[in-house]
Amino acid sequence: MKRLFLAALCIISLSCNNSSVTKPISETIQITPKPKNVKLESGVFSFDANTKIVAQTESEVLAAEILTEKFQKAATIKLEVIEQSPHSNVIQFKENTSLQAEAYHLIVSKDKVTIEYQDLRGAIYGVQTLLQLLPNAIENSSVAEQQNWSIPCVEIEDAPQFKWRGVMLDVSRHFFEKEYILKTIDRLSFLKMNTLHLHLVDDQGWRIEIKKYPKLTSVGGFRVDQEEKPWNARSKNSPEAEATYGGFYTQEDIKEMVAYAQKRGVTIVPEIEMPAHVSSAIAAYPELTCFNQKIGVPSGGVWPITDIFCPGKESTFEFLEDVLDEVLALFPSTYIHLGGDEATKTNWEKCPHCQQRIKTEGLTNVDELQSYFMSRMERYISKNNRKMIGWDEIIEGGIAPGATVMSWRGTKGGLEATVQGHDVIMTPTSHCYFDYYQGPQDVEPKAWGSYVPSSKVYQFNPIPKEMDSVQATHVLGGQANLWAEYIPTEAQSEYMFYPRLASMSEALWSTEGQKDWDDFSERLPNLFQRFEFMGINYAESVYTIQSSAKIDSVSKNIMVSLQNEIPSSDLRYVVNQDEISSASAEKYTKPIEIAETTKLKASRFVNNNPVGKVFEKEFVFHKAVGKSIRYKEKYSKSYQGVGDGTLVNVLRGSTHFHDGQWLAWLGSDMEAVIDLSESTTISKVTVGTLENQGSGIYFPTKVAVYLSEDGQSYALAKEIERPFKVNKESVLKTFECAFETKQARYVKVKVKNLAKAPNGGGSWLFVDEVVVE
Ligand code: ACM
Ligand code: ZN
């Protein structure tokens, strides 16, 4: 949306009393998500102790409350809320039924601010935009030094693109106190997001008090404290072991959260998982399973999930309906999420109750039995005048008639559901999973294995290209999901949410045509300052410098590109120097050519000074760099790095195995021949590899190096073996084959894949470089 920033060229004067600050408008109007239309006028409206707010309807009173609270705290100005409008120095609301849902129209003139709205959210969003026009210090939770509480005269027309703009908080894998939920609600309202999906039930903890089944929380709410161990290295707990980690929300807590959210224009949608992800419930009531399995609440990863509810027993449904009765009484939301994901139904295959159910219901398999399960629950939800949501697995075996699908395994499930006329909410892992890394794995705190940076979140469009316009009407919107396996603290939760949530907010608020990452990224420093006033532990990963490199086809030298996510960043670098300063550094403007082993340091500069973490990388040249390399068996399409040259391009891969520096083979060995183009002395060949057993990636069991002068007859130079070992970490390892100096033109490297993973599946072999010295 360029229109707003045409106006950015003009200068306004923010004057107040005897202090006069002149700032470009581009620095004073920075609203996120970006409004649809902004028309700047000259002059300002100034808040003072005589400013009144006129609020008559309930919506107006609630919206006014947000404004008065901030002014009271940060500015110690008590804005009086009255019912009759004075002539000037007033904030007034005006109901306008011609506006669409959630829309607002904000008009700031020198003596008056008018907020037109159609519903509560519109009134609140008008206030949130007004707050974003004020100095960032208005978000301070204690008295701010800022004295100049003025806003530019402006007219803003604004409305959202999608009606579901959500966030999912997983409070099961780690428990978050009610106060954090309340804070999150405020932040959602600030970003004009309207839905908080609370994932209240999962294997590792049941987090909502159900009065009829007290053991759900007294037993299911707590687990053995194994917090010091990595999530997937935590051992199985016996039902008798002392459980001390956990917590839950009482029904009073829930009522408070729901009421607070309602006042802020946020709907809380509860998720009660079924039939899987319920080990916590099973630990409390083993009779809910096929074979009365007695388990302890797991402290870490559970996979595959076989301890699940038994749909053969009528008592399972009685239990679930009882639970839902209490849930429905607490949450007024139209939608109730019933999970439905990742059930491994092997027990259902063997269970006499389940088999009987399959027979009496005329079903053909356990997928259809899951469909029966979810459809039956959907009928219960519908009967209570609500709508059921399920993860996209609910399509398998037949989707329940009234169900809405939350598509997470890409957008395919969502697409299919819209073909069948169902509503969908898009939350594909590719853009919406905030438990994934937002920066390079080697500098980020531990997260789930994949990569979803802010700029990628920003590109999210809940309507996939394949969708026609009729299907698109079924897309309610999108949502960010923060699974909490690796989120033990509120600080870490904030770190993973911000600023990605701002990216998500704008991705869902703006139309595709209005979205502009460059423009958004220019607003981030201001947003960061606001986050600081809000006390948010936001991430600065957007500034992290990363390199990519290509081999120049003529010179065979390495061309190293540097970038972070902010296109306007002032990046500077030094080559083979220890210090980086404004005196020593060169401005990065084009790829850096490297022809020999080189140490590169780079930093972002602000006001001529280096800021943030210094990027450091050594590019170690060797004799095979840029040489021709051929593979006996082609690498997988899923991991093709930068093509054939990936293994001789100097650049090393990281444990983030999607980083584009890896070639990988599934189940088969790697065999490559490098042509050094002339007879060369060689004494060592090193193969770089990765192991991440959780993702099916294993170290090779053998590496062998053969040399040849003619490319026909090869002699073994060295071979090393390494037997399989269990390893719960993700680690890089080099296999060094050193030998007495030899002469050769061709180097053949055979790297043996473990081939069969211990769990029976195919194993991946990952290689990032073959270093010839
Ligand atoms: C999911 O991520 N299992 C919905
Ligand atoms: Zn059963």
Side-chain angles (χ1 to χ4, degrees):
M1 229 268 288
K2 293 282 181 231
R3 200 162 358 147
L4 166 59
F5 284 86
L6 283 180
L9 296 172
C10 67
I11 303 282
I12 61 154
S13 169
L14 287 183
S15 56
C16 175
N17 302 332
N18 50 7
S19 75
S20 174
V21 190
T22 305
K23 274 188 161 189
I25 292 294
S26 58
E27 284 174 28
T28 59
I29 292 208
Q30 301 203 35
I31 298 160
T32 300
K34 191 164 175 171
K36 291 217 160 9
N37 281 306
V38 177
K39 204 162 84 203
L40 266 167
E41 314 283 355
S42 61
V44 298
F45 175 91
S46 292
F47 287 82
D48 58 35
N50 294 320
T51 306
K52 308 273 188 257
I53 305 178
V54 182
Q56 286 160 344
T57 68
E58 195 191 344
S59 294
E60 293 170 8
V61 170
L62 290 173
E65 224 171 79
I66 296 174
L67 196 58
T68 53
E69 274 179 24
K70 304 263 184 208
F71 265 95
Q72 181 77 53
K73 271 192 200 152
T76 57
I77 292 177
K78 193 169 167 8
L79 298 176
E80 198 186 341
V81 181
I82 54 173
E83 283 189 25
Q84 282 304 315
S85 185
H87 291 299
S88 64
N89 199 4
V90 63
I91 318 293
Q92 63 179 23
F93 292 90
K94 211 157 117 189
E95 209 169 334
N96 178 348
T97 51
S98 71
L99 292 177
Q100 72 171 76
E102 304 186 275
Y104 67 93
H105 183 182
L106 172 70
I107 307 138
V108 180
S109 62
K110 286 177 198 156
D111 59 353
K112 192 188 286 181
V113 175
T114 306
I115 297 169
E116 292 185 13
Y117 69 98
Q118 195 259 91
D119 52 17
L120 171 64
R121 285 182 182 154
I124 289 174
Y125 297 158
V127 165
Q128 295 292 7
T129 290
L130 175 56
L131 284 165
Q132 289 202 38
L133 289 171
L134 280 157
N136 290 333
I138 193 66
E139 299 295 344
N140 212 1
S141 56
S142 56
V143 181
E145 278 173 24
Q146 176 75 39
Q147 299 295 317
N148 185 359
W149 303 108
S150 299
I151 56 176
C153 293
V154 67
E155 186 174 346
I156 297 178
E157 286 174 316
D158 203 9
Q161 165 78 345
F162 289 102
K163 61 181 173 208
W164 186 292
R165 302 180 305 282
V167 163
M168 186 212 72
L169 258 184
D170 167 10
V171 293
S172 169
R173 272 55 177 272
H174 283 98
F175 179 62
F176 295 88
E177 300 290 344
K178 176 186 71 185
E179 286 68 26
Y180 182 64
I181 307 297
L182 301 182
K183 262 198 257 185
T184 303
I185 290 166
D186 278 333
R187 292 159 184 180
L188 293 182
S189 179
F190 164 71
L191 289 170
K192 304 187 176 83
M193 300 194 71
N194 61 15
T195 303
L196 175 61
H197 164 181
L198 276 186
H199 185 76
L200 291 163
V201 172
D202 215 304
D203 294 306
Q204 296 83 1
W206 182 286
R207 305 289 179 218
I208 174 173
E209 178 189 23
I210 300 295
K211 296 212 191 268
K212 189 156 184 185
Y213 300 98
K215 284 200 287 182
L216 284 173
T217 42
S218 66
V219 174
F222 296 87
R223 64 189 189 223
V224 176
D225 189 341
Q226 298 193 45
E227 289 299 296
E228 79 290 354
K229 293 190 203 153
W231 184 257
N232 281 323
R234 296 179 187 180
S235 52
K236 211 167 172 166
N237 298 321
S238 90
E240 290 78 32
E242 193 192 7
T244 54
Y245 177 89
F248 61 91
Y249 307 116
T250 64
Q251 295 206 348
E252 288 310 305
D253 289 336
I254 299 273
K255 283 179 200 162
E256 187 182 336
M257 295 189 305
V258 167
Y260 190 82
Q262 276 181 326
K263 280 171 41 173
R264 294 294 192 264
V266 173
T267 302
I268 302 186
V269 173
E271 180 182 356
I272 305 296
E273 272 273 20
M274 60 190 73
H277 284 287
V278 290
S279 301
S280 52
I282 291 167
Y285 299 101
E287 61 272 25
L288 295 168
T289 59
C290 292
F291 301 105
N292 297 335
Q293 293 108 275
K294 291 187 177 47
I295 57 171
V297 179
S299 297
V302 178
W303 197 260
I305 307 169
T306 52
D307 290 320
I308 64 177
F309 291 148
C310 172
K313 299 178 183 171
E314 220 24 53
S315 51
T316 303
F317 292 99
E318 283 160 21
F319 164 84
L320 286 171
E321 290 179 6
D322 288 345
V323 167
L324 285 177
D325 284 347
E326 294 191 32
V327 169
L328 294 174
L330 289 167
F331 294 93
S333 59
T334 305
Y335 292 93
I336 304 290
H337 202 310
L338 298 188
D341 58 323
E342 298 183 318
T344 296
K345 295 165 277 231
T346 41
N347 281 334
W348 293 4
E349 310 259 14
K350 294 176 284 189
C351 167
H353 308 286
C354 286
Q355 290 307 313
Q356 184 59 38
R357 180 78 74 189
I358 285 176
K359 216 163 163 186
T360 52
E361 295 296 330
L363 309 171
T364 55
N365 56 36
V366 289
D367 281 342
E368 288 186 14
L369 183 55
Q370 173 156 1
S371 171
Y372 164 84
F373 189 125
M374 298 310 287
S375 299
R376 186 164 162 179
M377 295 317 299
E378 191 271 328
R379 281 200 298 279
Y380 194 71
I381 295 288
S382 292
K383 203 175 84 189
N384 284 279
N385 302 314
R386 310 290 185 95
K387 292 182 182 176
M388 181 195 113
I389 300 176
W391 298 108
D392 58 55
E393 283 91 335
I394 65 166
I395 303 169
E396 293 159 12
I399 181 172
T404 295
V405 170
M406 195 166 264
S407 189
W408 70 281
R409 297 174 300 178
T411 51
K412 207 169 93 281
L415 205 62
E416 195 180 319
T418 59
V419 172
Q420 298 181 41
H422 289 261
D423 284 348
V424 303
I425 298 142
M426 293 294 195
T427 66
T429 55
S430 58
H431 295 75
C432 301
Y433 269 41
F434 284 14
D435 52 334
Y436 290 6
Y437 283 93
Q438 60 189 312
Q441 284 196 10
D442 48 350
V443 297
E444 288 287 327
K446 175 83 185 146
W448 204 260
S450 203
Y451 182 46
V452 181
S454 278
S455 48
K456 177 124 190 234
V457 174
Y458 193 83
Q459 303 313 329
F460 177 47
N461 179 359
I463 299 180
K465 282 189 204 65
E466 304 89 326
M467 227 178 225
D468 66 31
S469 55
V470 176
Q471 285 170 273
T473 61
H474 288 292
V475 177
L476 303 180
Q479 176 172 298
N481 292 338
L482 187 56
W483 299 103
E485 287 92 337
Y486 295 113
I487 319 281
T489 62
E490 290 175 12
Q492 183 58 12
S493 176
E494 292 179 344
Y495 182 87
M496 299 305 268
F497 267 136
Y498 309 96
R500 288 190 287 188
L501 206 51
S503 293
M504 179 59 80
S505 139
E506 192 153 304
L508 297 173
W509 185 270
S510 302
T511 61
E512 277 304 294
Q514 289 167 327
K515 277 164 59 181
D516 179 344
W517 169 257
D518 290 6
D519 181 283
F520 176 84
S521 72
E522 291 299 307
R523 278 176 276 137
L524 270 181
N526 180 67
L527 198 57
F528 285 170
Q529 197 189 54
R530 202 159 271 254
F531 287 161
E532 260 157 47
F533 281 116
M534 291 171 156
I536 293 177
N537 179 44
Y538 63 94
E540 291 192 287
S541 313
V542 288
Y543 294 131
T544 305
I545 297 173
Q546 301 192 56
S547 64
S548 58
K550 278 204 293 230
I551 294 179
D552 184 81
S553 58
V554 181
S555 69
K556 301 289 180 197
N557 290 334
I558 306 293
M559 308 301 291
V560 180
S561 301
L562 298 177
Q563 64 274 314
N564 64 15
E565 290 184 76
I566 310 297
S568 63
S569 293
D570 174 6
L571 303 185
R572 304 186 199 181
Y573 67 97
V574 291
V575 168
N576 296 328
Q577 290 182 50
D578 290 335
E579 294 297 318
I580 182 160
S581 67
S582 59
S584 62
E586 194 165 328
K587 193 169 169 65
Y588 175 80
T589 53
K590 61 178 192 327
I592 305 158
E593 187 161 4
I594 291 180
E596 57 189 11
T597 294
T598 298
K599 231 170 32 191
L600 193 63
K601 285 192 178 181
S603 177
R604 185 169 71 97
F605 277 64
V606 174
N607 299 328
N608 224 23
N609 288 312
V611 289
K613 199 172 154 47
V614 172
F615 165 90
E616 278 189 62
K617 197 157 193 160
E618 187 167 25
F619 298 86
V620 182
F621 268 60
H622 54 89
K623 291 173 177 170
V625 172
K627 301 296 184 200
S628 143
I629 180 165
R630 287 178 293 108
Y631 301 91
K632 185 167 175 195
E633 182 161 338
K634 186 89 174 165
Y635 36 84
S636 158
K637 279 201 173 70
S638 305
Y639 301 97
Q640 341 194 33
V642 290
D644 285 359
T646 307
L647 302 195
V648 287
N649 75 344
V650 173
L651 293 184
R652 307 307 301 267
S654 67
T655 50
H656 165 38
F657 52 85
H658 289 282
D659 65 9
Q661 292 305 332
W662 294 97
L663 298 186
W665 287 262
L666 179 58
S668 55
D669 300 339
M670 180 202 108
E671 184 176 322
V673 173
I674 301 168
D675 179 357
L676 298 173
S677 61
E678 60 188 0
S679 183
T680 306
T681 53
I682 304 169
S683 60
K684 190 158 82 177
V685 174
T686 306
V687 177
T689 64
L690 163 73
E691 187 161 78
N692 180 337
Q693 296 188 356
S695 301
I697 303 168
Y698 296 86
F699 286 141
T701 52
K702 187 153 101 178
V703 173
V705 173
Y706 302 80
L707 302 177
S708 167
E709 277 290 14
D710 60 6
Q712 303 292 322
S713 61
Y714 283 89
L716 177 70
K718 178 85 177 184
E719 99 182 350
I720 46 181
E721 297 202 29
R722 183 193 180 275
F724 165 77
K725 286 184 204 147
V726 172
N727 165 24
K728 302 227 182 240
E729 299 297 311
S730 173
V731 269
L732 302 172
K733 181 177 171 66
T734 53
F735 287 74
E736 282 186 15
C737 295
F739 39 85
E740 261 185 33
T741 305
K742 290 189 167 60
Q743 198 71 24
R745 172 173 168 176
Y746 298 92
V747 179
K748 183 186 281 183
V749 185
K750 290 187 182 180
V751 184
K752 199 157 178 47
N753 192 325
L754 176 66
K756 212 171 164 68
N759 67 7
S763 68
W764 284 99
L765 169 68
F766 271 62
V767 182
D768 68 337
E769 190 82 358
V770 177
V771 177
V772 177
E773 292 168 284

